[in-house]
Amino acid sequence: MPHSMSQTGPPAHNQAPSIAAIAQAPPASAWDGKGSQQELMYKDECIVVDDNDCITGHASKYDVHRFNAQQPQGRLHRAFSVFLFNSQNQLLLQQRASTKITFPKVWTNTCCSHPLHGYNPGEVDDPSSVASGAVMGAKRAAVRKLGHELGIPPHQLPLDDFKFLTRLHYCAADEETYGTKAEWGEHEIDYILFVKADVDVSPNPEEVDAYEYVNITQLKSMMKPTSGLLWSPWFRILANHFLEDWWQDIDKTIQTNDHVDLHKIHSLI
């Protein structure tokens, strides 16, 4: 059964948060994980890239996730998706909090977020880091957010235990929350990270409504339309195209390069 987090007073599922409130949130000089969802939209600076994942600048989370006439698909930026498996080869899923601005209440992989510009230690990977598969910036960001969202202690997740498999380029407006003219969405080059560890989980209710460990059979059942569960668009793409092959032999996937594709960016838009 899912482990549920208590929530008080979530916003209506189909009502956007006040744009004025977000715009007035003061910027922060350093990331400390504190603040409301609205404040973090301005404090966090995402890494803006082109279709080839070359860095072109940086911009706030608010800016890159806005879908409007000037940028109908938002601004393409880097992200990461962590798939954490325990010693029983079960995948840790989370349900995003109902208070999230983009894609609230959806089920997804263990952790999905962004490496940030201007953070120390650095989370910006240069081309040589990507080509070698090291991506220490993305891995640092992953450990940071696994702590922030799920309360997993950093010492339980050594950076060298993460396996960088490949990248996914996708774009999705959040029509489930905001309708066909959604002004929020995701447009990302997503770094896929696998890791196997038995960890302590203590979720942050601002980020996570529930979590659950599942095997592949349980996941397939949960993803049936009859389940009534919502799923993130990036996880659906990965589950439909890649996940089962990667999951068949987790140890081989993590310990070898059989499923590693460092040079290709899978574009599924």
Side-chain angles (χ1 to χ4, degrees):
M1 294 293 292
H3 301 265
S4 297
M5 307 295 105
S6 61
Q7 291 284 335
T8 58
H13 188 53
N14 60 354
Q15 181 179 355
S18 166
I19 294 174
I22 296 174
Q24 292 170 4
S29 59
W31 197 94
D32 58 10
K34 297 178 180 178
S36 67
Q37 292 290 332
Q38 288 88 349
E39 289 168 337
L40 290 175
M41 290 294 276
Y42 257 75
K43 289 167 68 176
D44 287 358
E45 287 281 311
C46 293
I47 302 162
V48 179
V49 296
D50 63 17
D51 288 348
N52 295 314
D53 196 26
C54 296
I55 298 171
T56 61
H58 56 91
S60 69
K61 278 204 304 185
Y62 171 88
D63 185 31
V64 300
H65 292 93
R66 292 290 292 161
F67 282 35
N68 53 38
Q70 290 72 41
Q71 49 182 50
Q73 292 187 321
R75 299 183 66 182
L76 181 60
H77 57 281
R78 282 186 183 170
F80 64 81
S81 283
V82 174
F83 289 72
L84 186 151
F85 299 85
N86 63 16
S87 55
Q88 285 73 51
N89 294 333
Q90 296 172 312
L91 173 62
L92 177 58
L93 302 175
Q94 68 155 282
Q95 183 185 30
R96 289 163 63 89
S98 58
T99 52
K100 297 286 280 187
I101 293 170
T102 57
F103 298 99
K105 297 185 179 180
V106 303
W107 282 89
T108 192
N109 49 286
T110 313
C111 183
C112 328
S113 192
H114 313 89
L116 300 180
H117 166 82
Y119 193 66
N120 190 18
E123 297 181 357
V124 181
D125 289 303
D126 62 22
S128 64
S129 178
V130 177
S132 71
V135 294
M136 298 304 288
K139 292 176 181 179
R140 291 187 192 106
V143 171
R144 172 175 59 81
K145 284 300 289 183
L146 285 162
H148 178 235
E149 295 186 5
L150 291 163
I152 300 174
H155 73 267
Q156 295 182 348
L157 294 168
L159 295 180
D160 289 341
D161 287 359
F162 286 84
K163 186 73 170 185
F164 171 44
L165 296 182
T166 191
R167 291 169 287 177
L168 170 69
H169 179 184
Y170 78 97
C171 183
D174 189 1
E175 296 183 359
E176 182 66 39
T177 308
Y178 302 108
T180 56
K181 296 183 179 180
E183 295 182 348
W184 295 97
E186 291 285 6
H187 191 188
E188 300 181 329
I189 290 183
D190 196 7
Y191 285 47
I192 311 305
L193 302 173
F194 268 39
V195 65
K196 185 173 181 179
D198 289 322
V199 297
D200 298 318
V201 179
S202 180
N204 176 357
E206 288 287 319
E207 298 285 337
V208 176
D209 271 1
Y211 69 96
E212 184 172 6
Y213 281 98
V214 299
N215 59 37
I216 188 66
T217 302
Q218 292 168 322
L219 176 62
K220 288 179 177 179
S221 178
M222 290 175 69
M223 294 190 74
K224 290 180 179 178
T226 53
S227 73
L229 300 176
L230 301 174
W231 293 89
S232 72
W234 60 90
F235 183 76
R236 279 197 174 277
I237 292 170
L238 292 165
N240 290 338
H241 292 272
F242 305 103
L243 182 56
E244 190 166 3
D245 285 342
W246 293 338
W247 199 341
Q248 285 181 352
D249 189 337
I250 289 297
D251 293 328
K252 186 176 181 180
T253 296
I254 294 175
Q255 295 171 11
T256 74
N257 291 330
D258 285 9
H259 293 288
V260 172
D261 191 348
L262 302 179
H263 304 293
K264 183 175 182 179
I265 299 172
H266 299 273
S267 183
L268 295 165
I269 299 178

